[in-house]
Amino acid sequence: MTTKPQLKLGSHLVPGLAAVALFVVMAVVFLGASFPDPQGFAEGANITASIGYSMFNLGFGSVDGESMLAAFEIIDLVLVAALAGAVLLARREDTAGQMRTILTDGGRELKQTLFDDGEGDN
């Protein structure tokens, strides 16, 4: 005979409820926000130079640098996440459970560990 699952109530639900409440507040803010219509760049505008000028707060560019801030920050977050993921993927655990980096010796130690053929091609 099976029993149906029961919901455990207690103080451990508070962080989950806070997360749901924060999500609702952010959803209301984002859905209620008004954004201006997207605008293209002027014909012949030098976008790369304008970004460089706006980085150093020089007024020479033909494109405003503030319009690219959101795209820059999104790309920044994606690249940081990719870098953190690459570091996590490059780490391995050995048999003792210790974290160690892999392929720092060109893969020779890993090859000897995996194949253990005794040839020792050093």
Side-chain angles (χ1 to χ4, degrees):
M1 183 168 145
T2 61
T3 60
K4 67 180 194 177
Q6 295 180 353
L7 179 64
K8 289 179 64 177
L9 300 175
S11 63
H12 64 280
L13 292 177
V14 173
L17 293 175
V20 169
L22 180 64
F23 176 78
V24 168
V25 168
M26 291 179 69
V28 168
V29 168
F30 286 133
L31 293 176
S34 63
F35 296 102
D37 293 331
Q39 300 173 358
F41 297 113
E43 187 68 31
N46 194 348
I47 299 168
T48 308
S50 297
I51 292 172
Y53 292 140
S54 65
M55 283 176 56
F56 296 107
N57 200 19
L58 302 172
F60 301 127
S62 58
V63 177
D64 290 334
E66 291 87 17
S67 63
M68 299 180 199
L69 180 62
F72 177 78
E73 287 299 324
I74 291 170
I75 292 170
D76 173 49
L77 290 175
V78 169
L79 289 175
V80 167
L83 180 64
V87 168
L88 287 175
L89 288 175
R91 296 174 58 106
R92 299 284 189 259
E93 288 186 18
D94 59 5
T95 57
Q98 297 286 332
M99 294 299 285
R100 68 180 182 100
T101 57
I102 192 167
L103 301 178
T104 56
D105 62 346
R108 281 183 236 106
E109 180 183 345
L110 178 65
K111 182 180 174 186
Q112 287 176 350
T113 304
L114 291 177
F115 300 111
D116 198 20
D117 53 7
E119 294 176 10
D121 47 320
N122 285 329

